[in-house]
Amino acid sequence: MHARDVHDAHGSDAAGSRARGSGTRGTDGRDADGRGTDGRDADGRGTDGRDADGRGTDGRDADGRGTDGRDADGRDGWTAVVDLIERVVGEDDLLPSVVAGVRTLVREVSVLPPADIAGHTRALLAAATRAVAARRGPTEAELSFVAELGVTRARQGVPIEAVLGAVHVAERTIWARAREVAAAHGVPADRLLDARELYDDWSEAVRARLITAHRATETGRTLPAVDREADLVRRLLEGGSAAALAAAEAGLPAGGGLWVAVARPRDTLPSAVHEQPRAHAPALVALVDGLLVGVLTRVPAPSVSSDGAVAGLAGPAGPEELGAVRRLAVAALGAAETAGRTGLVHIAEVAAPAALADRADLAAVLLDRHRPARSALGANARTVAHAVCAWLEADRDVAAAAAALFVHPNTVRNRVQRFADVTGIDPHGTFGGVNAWWLCRMWLMND
């Protein structure tokens, strides 16, 4: 660049500065603060330091969110809303406050037990929170729960207007609390409004089902009343979202730690085992499909029944998994009975016999393969099978097996050897012992 060019360039800058300094804009169109006619500086930022999209120098908007919609902690806007709602719903004083408000403001509901109101309110809160978190409408399980609430209130003689009034009081309390603390937890007002609108959509569908069920009950188009505890147990055993709602209603832990105990009905069940679930309150016990089923909240202490009673146990698990846990408890009961166990038996203690009992197809193959051996034993098949099972279940202790069968030890040895001869199974080996035990149990069960 020539000296004259340098002089002209500096001269132009000086002239521009002098022009801006005198209250006018320079040749680049910017004022003395370097701002153009749109009020923005050379970097496109306004007087508040934000660009045309409202973002500061750190790339975040006025709510502190980046271009990906997440705040400084990496949470998106909706996660923050869900966290807020869960925090509000989980506050220790919220539920008592809601129940007190409902009983004070809705006279027809005030006659109901506080535990009744609290249980249904807790379940509704849990369902609403799940729906808002997933940004969806009500599931069929949630609608079924609401329908049962409508049926229950109708049978209690509570008018539908009072039921809706109670729901409104609960809603108002919760959302008022959420508004109070939203700003402190970084949730902008518009985002909270989005959540409230989504909740209102969910609530509208829920309210319609509630009204329908209540009116149907009033006109006598429903089944007779059922025991609430038995109803809760059945819903828990369904698993999935229906179980989660039932757990919330019953006040059971939502995060896990639930056990299922299964036993035969009371007429064959000694009181010591029958009352076992009650010793671990809060718990629910009911007769379901011919079996006594208990949903427990603590690990039951190991027990041995002196009168031969037995109960199957499985868990722990969360409410949504209780359907599968119940099946394991039933399997534990059957396996414990087969193995001659007594008391409360966890499925892990009888996993092998439970697995064998679950494979009827393999049992049939085993029986068919050794049908000639069964015929060869003839009338002695049962005594031989008893001896083999007793010997294996006594860890191959001949003396212990003989004492259990009230026979001479040589008799046990002879019968075990006779079994090995006719079947070709070596019961002294690990897998041969499994096959021998399984086959003999099948012979005894089918005899």
Side-chain angles (χ1 to χ4, degrees), residues 265-320:
R266 181 185 293 269
D267 58 346
T268 60
L269 188 65
S271 59
V273 175
H274 176 72
E275 295 301 328
Q276 176 77 16
R278 295 290 188 181
H280 301 280
L284 299 168
V285 183
L287 195 63
V288 179
D289 297 334
L291 292 174
L292 186 69
V293 180
V295 178
L296 319 178
T297 57
R298 298 181 188 174
V299 181
S303 67
V304 177
S305 175
S306 59
D307 47 12
V310 60
L313 179 70
E320 296 183 349

Side-chain angles (χ1 to χ4, degrees), residues 10 32 39 44 98 114 144 196 206 219 237 256 259-260 277 293 317 319 330 347:
H10 285 290
V98 169
S144 297
R196 179 60 195 263
V206 164
T219 56
L237 298 181
W259 305 73
V260 175
V293 180
V330 172
I347 182 63

Side-chain angles (χ1 to χ4, degrees), residues 63-407:
D63 294 322
R65 302 194 178 280
T67 55
D68 60 356
R70 297 182 179 276
D71 61 19
D73 295 324
R75 302 179 306 168
D76 62 27
W78 202 251
T79 301
V81 173
V82 173
D83 289 346
L84 171 67
I85 295 174
E86 290 180 343
R87 186 178 293 109
V88 168
V89 169
E91 291 178 357
D92 293 338
D93 65 331
L94 178 70
L95 195 58
S97 174
V98 169
V99 172
V102 168
R103 300 188 79 209
T104 300
L105 298 174
V106 186
R107 179 177 56 83
E108 297 87 347
V109 175
S110 63
V111 299
L112 299 176
D116 184 338
I117 302 173
H120 285 106
T121 302
R122 189 186 299 110
L124 281 172
L125 292 179
T129 302
R130 291 159 66 94
V132 171
R135 306 192 211 193
R136 59 163 174 76
T139 63
E140 187 55 40
E142 290 165 356
L143 291 174
S144 297
F145 162 74
V146 171
E148 294 205 14
L149 173 59
V151 171
T152 299
R153 291 293 182 254
R155 288 171 176 160
Q156 291 169 330
V158 180
I160 186 60
E161 295 79 11
V163 178
L164 296 176
V167 172
H168 176 68
V169 170
E171 292 172 342
R172 188 173 60 191
T173 302
I174 294 159
W175 286 105
R177 184 80 62 92
R179 284 194 301 272
E180 290 173 3
V181 300
H185 290 91
V187 177
D190 60 339
R191 184 63 81 174
L192 187 62
L193 181 60
D194 290 342
R196 179 60 195 263
E197 289 177 348
L198 180 59
Y199 169 81
D200 287 341
D201 291 341
W202 179 88
S203 181
E204 184 176 351
V206 164
R207 192 174 288 108
R209 180 67 69 91
L210 179 64
I211 294 171
T212 300
H214 191 284
R215 288 177 176 167
T217 304
E218 285 186 320
T219 56
R221 289 187 282 119
T222 57
L223 297 173
V226 295
D227 178 70
R228 178 174 179 269
E229 187 164 344
D231 178 60
L232 283 171
V233 170
R234 289 189 180 90
R235 286 159 51 201
L236 284 167
L237 298 181
E238 288 180 21
S241 56
L245 289 170
E249 181 181 347
L252 299 176
L258 296 177
W259 305 73
V260 175
V262 176
R264 300 300 173 189
R266 181 185 293 269
D267 58 346
T268 60
L269 188 65
S271 59
V273 175
H274 176 72
E275 295 301 328
Q276 176 77 16
R278 295 290 188 181
H280 301 280
L284 299 168
V285 183
L287 195 63
V288 179
D289 297 334
L291 292 174
L292 186 69
V293 180
V295 178
L296 319 178
T297 57
R298 298 181 188 174
V299 181
S303 67
V304 177
S305 175
S306 59
D307 47 12
V310 60
L313 179 70
E320 296 183 349
E321 301 168 321
L322 287 184
V325 173
R326 181 252 189 123
R327 289 190 289 275
L328 289 175
V330 172
L333 174 62
E337 291 174 332
T338 299
R341 296 284 300 273
T342 62
L344 204 55
V345 181
H346 192 276
I347 182 63
E349 301 174 47
V350 286
L356 297 180
D358 192 49
R359 293 301 303 269
D361 54 342
L362 293 180
V365 170
L366 190 64
L367 286 169
D368 186 64
R369 173 68 177 271
H370 296 286
R371 198 176 303 279
R374 173 70 176 78
S375 300
L377 289 172
N380 294 322
R382 187 171 184 83
T383 57
V384 167
H386 270 303
V388 172
C389 287
W391 177 67
L392 289 170
E393 290 166 13
D395 295 329
R396 298 182 175 86
D397 186 326
V398 172
L405 296 173
F406 302 101
V407 298

Side-chain angles (χ1 to χ4, degrees), residues 3-19:
R4 180 170 181 168
D5 295 332
V6 173
H7 171 77
D8 289 345
H10 285 290
S12 297
D13 288 344
S17 298
R18 286 195 298 274

